[in-house]
Amino acid sequence: MTDLHRLSIRELSEGLKQAQFSSRELTEHYLKRIAQIDPKVKSYVTVTAEQALAEANAADAALKAGNAHALAGIPLAHKDIFCTQGIKTTAGSKMLDNFISPYDATVVAKAKAAGLVTLGKVNMDEFAMGSTSENSYVGATSNPWALDHVPGGSSGGSAAAVAADLAPIATGTDTGGSIRQPASFCGLTGLKPTYGRVSRFGMIAYASSLDQGGPMARSAEDCAYLMNVIAGHDAKDSTSINKEVDDYVANLNGTAVKGLRIGIPKQYFNVAGLDADVKARVEESLKKLEEMGAILVEIDLNMTEAYVPTYYLIAPAEASSNLSRFDGVRYGYRCENPVDLMDLYKRSRSEGFGAEVQRRILIGTYALSAGYYDAYYVKAQKVRRLIQQDFLKAFGNVDVIAAPSAPTTAYKIGANLSPTEMYLGDIYTLAVNLAGLPAINAPVGFDKDSLPVGLQLIGNYWSESQLLSIVHQYQQNTDWHTKRAAIAEENA
Ligand code: GLN
């Protein structure tokens, strides 16, 4: 079969169960596409062909024996921030270029236990800091819709791999938008779950109070399948919540769109940098939801102006602390011929970390230092609480909140925005992480340059089923999620 890469997760699952094709064939099909097409996209940092074929054989045996999980034998790609035992995990950094993890992240272990086949590890901004994936030490990844554009970031490799049909699904992480924004730039569906829903164990930390893993796929239905595998309590992550996990697939039609109250924050649609095409596509998608029976309600989110400054204090502060472990001593990059211990620390860190990571370590260290801690860090934490309260108040009146995922479509590679311009592009995604809420991106059309536009829906805590269900029903009534980039149409 030449078109296995066009099948949805449900179709793959059924095809494997009915032995229309084997996991081995499916895996070989994807590996062939990666070998032929990925040199143009550069989404993979490491391809684990040998392991993938062994896992595919094991899945085929389980399928034959009739005791396989629903997703057994289906390939996926992991963001290179998830530790994978025996396989390089770089987090996009020279610092970890030689790092082979001795253990699997819980997300990786769960995917393995379900019989999913790991195709490899995909590119990302260094330590998940960025919005273009250009901050990776291995270099930029291309957006499958326009190869001279970025796929977004930091989970840009995950987005590009799925959008070019080089993996049917991928894992991503979202600290301030890194699942939703690349999903938006690449025309995908991506879910950032409630903080604590997916284990962070073995997921290399950027900003621990904000980091959350989640699925990136072509549709809400595909995301639901992967959520069923990765969600759940984990004793190894103290911030993971011990709360029953929904069956996200069974709930795909569980939320009534008729009568659903969708909040439209006034402040969000008056943001200076909001592109006219993005605004138009998002408004059209909301009109469609209205036709399907939803009620659009204008709401206020008065803290909007505080999102960027608050996040860009708290995230770097936590990063400066998390990244202090990379000192060249036990693992990771070590400078040549250190003269003494201080020289070892200094040079290993200045040679091992890229410019954006160093910028954030400096900002974060400053914000946490004696004399500035109260003025910056403590104040930012107080504002964070106000941002959360703003959302909770809004959820007293509406079921979900709608927004663009990003004010623009994908940037050109090398556009070289200043850090401030880059940070302002995160305006629509940051608050969700500051409040710990779940949110989803769904593709809703294209701009004048044929680049994808995304709609973001933000839900109350633990509303993952609701968000997936709304987007699923929207996708049953529209076909934006079925559009493929030209490169994805190429046969290997
Ligand atoms: N773009 C944001 C940043 O640079 C968010 C990144 C993320 O979610 N990991 O921090």
Side-chain angles (χ1 to χ4, degrees):
M1 286 177 97
T2 55
D3 56 356
L4 287 173
H5 57 279
R6 299 192 202 287
L7 302 184
S8 70
I9 299 301
R10 183 170 45 77
E11 290 165 333
L12 288 174
S13 174
E14 284 165 6
L16 286 165
K17 286 245 151 77
Q18 293 159 11
Q20 288 167 10
F21 47 84
S22 66
S23 173
R24 174 104 195 176
E25 285 171 282
L26 177 62
T27 302
E28 281 173 346
H29 179 79
Y30 269 104
L31 289 172
K32 197 165 148 211
R33 288 184 63 80
I34 293 168
Q36 201 142 321
I37 296 170
D38 200 47
K40 286 180 256 183
V41 180
K42 299 183 285 296
S43 59
Y44 281 82
V45 176
T46 307
V47 179
T48 51
E50 209 175 302
Q51 181 191 319
L53 293 172
E55 288 173 350
N57 290 341
D60 282 331
L63 282 158
K64 215 171 201 166
N67 56 6
H69 181 275
L71 296 198
I74 296 178
L76 93 166
H78 285 300
K79 183 175 183 179
D80 208 15
I81 199 167
F82 289 100
C83 285
T84 41
Q85 188 176 2
I87 293 165
K88 215 162 76 157
T89 298
T90 70
S93 183
K94 180 176 170 190
M95 186 57 92
L96 291 178
D97 185 35
N98 60 2
F99 177 60
I100 295 186
S101 171
Y103 62 92
D104 279 330
T106 296
V107 162
V108 172
K110 284 187 164 207
K112 272 190 189 167
L116 281 147
V117 171
T118 309
L119 293 169
K121 310 288 296 287
V122 283
N123 203 15
M124 55 180 283
D125 284 301
E126 185 175 6
F127 288 106
M129 299 177 196
S131 311
T132 66
S133 299
E134 290 170 296
N135 293 339
S136 165
Y137 86 110
V138 299
T141 292
S142 282
N143 187 316
W145 292 91
L147 297 177
D148 57 346
H149 284 64
V150 302
S154 64
S155 311
S158 309
V162 176
D165 281 353
L166 303 174
I169 37 174
T171 53
T173 64
D174 190 312
T175 304
S178 281
I179 287 177
R180 292 161 284 157
Q181 184 258 25
S184 175
F185 280 13
C186 291
L188 300 177
T189 307
L191 174 72
K192 182 260 172 212
T194 306
Y195 184 74
R197 179 73 298 176
V198 172
S199 169
R200 293 186 302 109
F201 178 76
M203 196 176 104
I204 293 173
Y206 160 18
S208 307
S209 76
L210 305 161
D211 297 341
Q212 184 63 200
M216 300 178 73
R218 297 179 197 123
S219 66
E221 185 184 75
D222 288 0
C223 281
Y225 274 102
L226 186 52
M227 268 302 277
N228 273 3
V229 173
I230 64 175
H233 178 245
D234 180 10
K236 293 179 188 150
D237 170 5
S238 62
T239 61
S240 135
I241 308 286
N242 200 347
K243 183 181 188 326
E244 208 185 319
V245 181
D246 292 346
D247 181 336
Y248 301 102
V249 176
N251 289 347
L252 277 169
N253 289 303
T255 298
V257 175
K258 196 168 162 41
L260 183 85
R261 292 172 65 83
I262 304 181
I264 316 289
K266 266 190 244 147
Q267 293 79 357
Y268 282 26
F269 289 83
N270 290 325
V271 163
L274 177 56
D275 176 87
D277 284 0
V278 172
K279 187 170 184 213
R281 290 305 92 73
V282 168
E283 283 173 351
E284 286 157 21
S285 70
L286 292 170
K287 195 141 193 68
K288 181 77 203 175
L289 284 162
E290 198 175 29
E291 280 168 31
M292 289 166 61
I295 302 160
L296 307 184
V297 187
E298 198 173 70
I299 60 165
D300 273 303
L301 285 176
N302 290 310
M303 297 300 294
T304 306
E305 277 184 9
Y307 296 169
V308 174
T310 306
Y311 172 89
Y312 277 100
L313 263 166
I314 291 174
E318 293 185 16
S320 73
S321 162
N322 274 327
L323 270 56
S324 64
R325 74 190 64 173
F326 300 106
D327 55 9
V329 176
R330 276 176 299 188
Y331 60 94
Y333 178 79
R334 176 183 293 189
C335 68
E336 301 265 355
N337 308 318
V339 294
D340 56 23
L341 186 63
M342 210 32 99
D343 186 46
L344 167 78
Y345 289 159
K346 273 194 189 160
R347 281 205 291 121
S348 298
R349 288 170 67 80
S350 13
E351 291 165 20
F353 289 134
E356 182 61 25
V357 171
Q358 294 196 29
R359 179 178 298 119
R360 296 197 192 190
I361 291 174
L362 289 172
I363 293 171
T365 306
Y366 184 83
L368 290 177
S369 58
Y372 295 105
Y373 183 84
D374 288 334
Y376 291 112
Y377 185 70
V378 173
K379 195 160 183 188
Q381 290 289 24
K382 289 181 180 166
V383 178
R384 179 179 190 173
R385 176 56 64 92
L386 294 176
I387 292 169
Q388 181 198 30
Q389 284 172 351
D390 218 16
F391 277 109
L392 292 180
K393 199 171 134 216
F395 285 126
N397 182 28
V398 296
D399 299 305
V400 294
I401 295 170
S405 286
T408 66
T409 52
Y411 317 112
K412 267 218 153 119
I413 291 177
N416 231 341
L417 302 185
S418 72
T420 317
E421 287 169 321
M422 197 55 102
Y423 300 167
L424 285 170
D426 296 334
I427 176 87
Y428 295 120
T429 46
L430 304 175
V432 161
N433 302 73
L434 290 167
L437 294 166
I440 194 165
N441 175 77
V444 295
F446 299 87
D447 73 356
K448 57 185 178 316
D449 301 318
S450 306
L451 291 165
V453 172
L455 162 73
Q456 179 180 204
L457 292 176
I458 304 167
N460 208 335
Y461 297 105
W462 313 109
S463 66
E464 289 80 5
S465 277
Q466 184 190 35
L467 295 174
L468 290 164
S469 175
I470 298 165
V471 172
H472 177 66
Q473 292 171 72
Y474 172 82
Q475 292 177 338
Q476 299 304 103
N477 285 278
T478 54
D479 62 358
W480 299 118
H481 68 294
T482 66
K483 307 281 185 214
R484 290 285 186 281
I487 200 162
E489 301 287 352
E490 283 179 26
N491 280 320

